[in-house]
């Protein structure tokens, strides 16, 4: 384990926290899958280029999504698995936090990536991980393993880490954050902890929204869900985009058509 002693949270004072499921930081980090990640990576670079006081938050995926390979002869796409050890590249920051997941403590740490801008200004990007020795269960350690895991149990747990975990970790580092920018519905649980959230919808079609069974969500999230959660997120299923839209002070889209 490499401890990144060069990261000192006192060197930064972000007023914006930009929370996303994925972001393209470097092309060989498997922390993105497509358009959302590419756009969010551009946002992080823009903050640094423009000297905007911000911090980014994503998850540290050891297995990523997959690596796309196109066969030159047939033209068909096939997928290759990928593996990345963030510890060998970034190291972990000293600060950690704990959230409740499935009724027990889930320990969270983070790696730090410093995004440098064209003028020399830099912003920190935190990559949250559950791959800690304090998490005795291998299932818990694997929550931040795969981007967009197909299991709803993993999905809700990842969204819990991204939403609740981001807020608790950020609160241990900085006290002057004024806006929490939530990208897509993935980070919607953050809005249950903070009032000053903004929601950007990237995929404004129903098929692109995370929806979860309330029984499963209640088991995993417990007291994080308020009693009026069905009023906020939908009666039949927990719709993450509806939750974010109802709880955030500002809603926007990535284009005028998306906003419409």
């Amino acid at each position: 384990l490499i401890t990144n002693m060069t990261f000192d949270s006192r060197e930064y004072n972000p007023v914006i926290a930009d929370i996303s499921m994925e972001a393209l930081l470097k092309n060989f980090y498997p922390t993105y899958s497509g358009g959302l990640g590419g756009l969010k990576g551009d946002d992080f670079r823009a903050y640094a280029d423009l000297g905007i006081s911000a911090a980014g938050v994503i998850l540290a995926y050891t297995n990523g999504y997959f690596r796309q390979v196109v066969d030159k002869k047939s033209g068909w796409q096939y997928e290759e698995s990928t593996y990345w050890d963030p510890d060998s590249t970034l190291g972990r920051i000293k600060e950690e936090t704990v959230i409740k997941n499935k009724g027990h403590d889930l320990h969270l740490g983070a790696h730090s990536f410093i995004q440098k801008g064209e003028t020399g200004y830099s912003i920190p990007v935190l990559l949250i991980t559950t791959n800690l020795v304090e998490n005795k269960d291998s299932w818990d350690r694997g929550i931040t393993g795969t981007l967009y895991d197909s299991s709803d149990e993993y999905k809700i747990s990842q969204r819990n880490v991204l939403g609740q975990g981001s807020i608790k970790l950020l609160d241990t580092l900085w006290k002057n954050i004024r806006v929490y920018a939530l990208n897509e519905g993935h980070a919607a649980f953050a809005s249950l902890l903070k009032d000053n959230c903004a929601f950007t919808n990237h995929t404004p079609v129903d098929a692109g929204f995370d929806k979860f069974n309330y029984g499963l969500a209640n088991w995993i999230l417990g007291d994080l869900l308020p009693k009026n959660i069905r009023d906020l997120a939908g009666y039949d299923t927990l719709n993450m985009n509806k939750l974010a839209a109802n709880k955030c002070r500002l809603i926007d889209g990535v284009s005028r058509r998306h906003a419409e």
Side-chain angles (χ1 to χ4, degrees):
L1 174 65
I2 302 171
T3 301
N4 186 355
M5 300 304 292
T6 62
F7 179 77
D8 185 347
S9 62
R10 294 172 296 181
E11 296 179 8
Y12 307 94
N13 188 29
V15 296
I16 299 170
D18 199 331
I19 305 171
S20 180
M21 192 73 174
E22 55 172 296
L24 198 171
L25 305 177
K26 290 183 177 292
N27 63 353
F28 53 88
Y29 293 176
T31 57
Y32 66 99
S33 70
L36 172 61
L39 180 61
K40 191 45 53 186
D42 286 346
D43 286 344
F44 292 163
R45 283 181 280 276
Y47 289 136
D49 288 344
L50 296 172
I52 296 173
S53 181
V57 186
I58 62 172
L59 301 186
Y61 305 102
T62 51
N63 298 315
Y65 191 49
F66 60 78
R67 190 178 304 280
Q68 181 189 52
V69 181
V70 178
D71 183 82
K72 292 182 179 179
K73 291 184 178 180
S74 68
W76 287 98
Q77 170 192 305
Y78 63 94
E79 296 80 41
E80 290 182 347
S81 60
T82 181
Y83 177 76
W84 174 50
D85 179 12
D87 283 324
S88 66
T89 307
L90 300 174
R92 291 181 183 157
I93 69 174
K94 294 178 292 184
E95 293 81 2
E96 296 184 358
T97 192
V98 178
I99 65 172
K100 289 290 186 181
N101 196 73
K102 299 195 328 186
H104 63 263
D105 286 348
L106 180 65
H107 295 262
L108 309 180
H111 307 273
S112 64
F113 174 84
I114 306 304
Q115 179 63 64
K116 296 181 179 180
E118 292 295 323
T119 60
Y121 188 84
S122 298
I123 72 159
V125 180
L126 305 178
L127 294 84
I128 299 180
T129 182
T130 60
N131 189 21
L132 306 176
V133 294
E134 291 88 347
N135 293 321
K136 305 303 182 183
D137 193 320
S138 61
W139 194 96
D140 287 344
R141 294 194 299 274
I143 290 175
T144 54
T146 302
L147 174 59
Y148 300 130
D149 192 285
S150 60
S151 161
D152 278 356
E153 189 176 345
Y154 264 112
K155 283 181 180 179
I156 300 177
S157 296
Q158 282 187 335
R159 277 89 174 137
N160 189 20
V161 170
L162 183 66
Q164 181 180 193
S166 290
I167 298 301
K168 291 198 171 184
L169 186 60
L170 289 165
D171 281 351
T172 68
L173 296 171
W174 299 293
K175 303 302 180 185
N176 295 320
I177 296 175
R178 295 171 57 190
V179 178
Y180 297 85
L182 313 182
N183 290 276
E184 204 58 283
H186 306 130
F189 294 138
S191 67
L192 297 175
L193 298 175
K194 296 289 181 178
D195 293 329
N196 47 335
C197 293
F199 171 50
T200 298
N201 184 237
H202 291 256
T203 311
V205 293
D206 188 65
F209 302 163
D210 274 338
K211 298 176 184 177
F212 300 116
N213 174 275
Y214 274 112
L216 182 63
N218 280 309
W219 171 56
I220 294 174
L221 301 168
D223 293 338
L224 178 65
L225 296 182
K227 293 182 179 179
N228 67 331
I229 185 62
R230 291 179 185 265
D231 295 329
L232 300 170
Y235 182 78
D236 296 321
T237 59
L238 197 164
N239 185 317
M240 296 288 281
N241 286 51
K242 181 176 285 189
L243 174 61
N246 278 323
K247 285 290 292 179
C248 291
R249 297 173 62 183
L250 173 70
I251 310 170
D252 63 13
V254 294
S255 71
R256 290 183 179 179
R257 178 62 70 187
H258 281 70
E260 181 183 322

